[in-house]
Amino acid sequence: MWGFFPLYIRVLRPAGAMEILAHRVVWSVAFVALLLTVVRRWRYIRELAQRPGKLAGIALAAALIAVNWGMYIFGVNSERVVETALGYFIGPLVMVLLGVVALRERLNLAQWSAVGIGTLAVAVLTIDYGRLPYIALTLATSFGAYSLVKKRLGVPAAEGLFIESAVLALPALAYLVWLTLTTGGTFGQGAGHTTLLVVAGAATAIPLLLFAGAANRIPMTGIGILQYIAPILQLGCGVLVFHEPMPPARLAGFALVWLALIIFTVDGLRTTRRRVAEREAEHALVA
């Protein structure tokens, strides 16, 4: 669903990035509120309302995901789908660096090699673009920081998404009212277009809820590898559907990113297998 999201955003034209983002926020609140009502999960929301520390953390997460969503929509609408795909390819490497900076984690040689190759890839792509790939870097950094905040908060998926969207709902509504009073916006311009804007709430919430459910059932190494499916599909949309250019220098930059991810993934699999083997050995000794 995330991988084919560029196709959905493109059919929302002529709505601009900010209008799409505002509708995405507002209708996400409505969709998740309906979901919480159906499953009767409002009790946790009331408990969270009495914990200002948690609410402050959720507000920070909301700001980070708003930056991520807004930059992604802008990238797709400005015909830079390939660069948005790059952002999600380098995301795992950025998360590793955030782990070092924020959590004081130590990297092994393979992980440092992957980060170094990823940095070289950004340098190659900067030369190719003639500028820093700021869309990709913003997407990777904002989602990495969002993931870090969410990890520390430990809030259930649906409840967390509702509060994040609720934090953004008031400014989003204010923007939509202002847009309606000035330029008029695009909401209401045809039943099909209006329906697609409303569906943006479900299109935002459902993949996030599915991801949260999968994270509780699949080992982290599996989740990490599956994360590459979305940018691969996004890259395919950019090159094969929207016919964005992929000159040799840009392809070389992506190849370096993929090499870094291969090193990173193989190292992660080896580490996981070693830990499993150690745990099994400990259980055998206890038995």
Side-chain angles (χ1 to χ4, degrees), residues 18-260:
M18 286 299 295
E19 183 179 2
I20 296 172
L21 175 60
H23 278 290
R24 192 174 182 179
V25 168
V26 170
W27 297 113
S28 290
V29 173
F31 178 81
V32 181
L34 177 62
L35 180 65
L36 289 174
T37 301
V38 171
V39 299
R40 300 179 181 180
R41 293 275 292 274
W42 285 102
R43 181 178 178 182
Y44 188 81
I45 300 293
R46 291 192 291 270
E47 292 174 357
L48 272 179
Q50 301 172 5
R51 303 172 68 180
K54 284 273 188 182
L55 290 176
I58 293 172
L60 175 59
L64 290 168
I65 201 63
V67 170
N68 186 269
W69 288 351
M71 185 58 74
Y72 181 73
I73 297 167
F74 169 75
V76 173
N77 275 347
S78 59
E79 301 183 352
R80 301 178 191 174
V81 176
V82 169
E83 190 175 343
T84 65
L86 172 65
Y88 291 110
F89 274 126
I90 64 177
L93 303 178
V94 171
M95 289 184 189
V96 169
L97 286 176
L98 286 173
V100 173
V101 174
L103 304 179
R104 301 186 182 279
E105 295 177 353
R106 293 184 178 182
L107 303 186
N108 58 34
L109 180 59
Q111 290 171 326
W112 275 120
S113 299
V115 171
I117 294 171
T119 304
L120 177 61
V122 171
V124 170
L125 290 165
T126 298
I127 295 171
D128 173 63
Y129 283 115
R131 58 170 174 79
L132 271 175
Y134 65 91
I135 292 176
L137 293 174
T138 303
L139 288 174
T141 304
S142 59
F143 194 75
Y146 171 77
S147 301
L148 179 62
V149 172
K150 292 282 283 186
K151 181 179 176 64
R152 289 189 164 184
L153 288 172
V155 178
E159 290 86 339
L161 179 59
F162 174 79
I163 298 177
E164 288 168 24
S165 300
V167 167
L168 301 170
L170 190 59
L173 275 172
Y175 174 78
L176 290 175
V177 170
W178 172 83
L179 190 66
T180 302
L181 295 175
T182 53
T183 63
T186 64
F187 190 77
Q189 295 183 7
H193 180 73
T194 300
T195 301
L196 285 171
L197 284 173
V198 172
V199 171
T204 296
I206 291 173
L208 288 171
L209 295 173
L210 290 174
F211 175 79
N216 292 330
R217 295 167 173 81
I218 302 173
M220 283 305 295
T221 50
I223 288 289
I225 294 170
L226 289 171
Q227 286 293 298
Y228 303 143
I229 294 175
I232 289 171
L233 293 174
Q234 290 166 7
L235 179 62
C237 288
V239 176
L240 302 176
V241 180
F242 301 132
H243 306 293
E244 293 185 13
M246 182 62 80
R250 194 167 305 170
L251 186 58
F254 270 86
L256 287 171
V257 171
W258 295 328
L259 175 60

Side-chain angles (χ1 to χ4, degrees), residues 219 221 268-284:
T221 50
L269 290 172
R270 286 177 177 172
T271 301
T272 301
R273 288 172 181 169
R274 184 175 66 250
R275 288 174 179 172
V276 169
E278 289 173 353
R279 283 198 297 267
E280 288 177 349
E282 289 176 0
H283 290 320

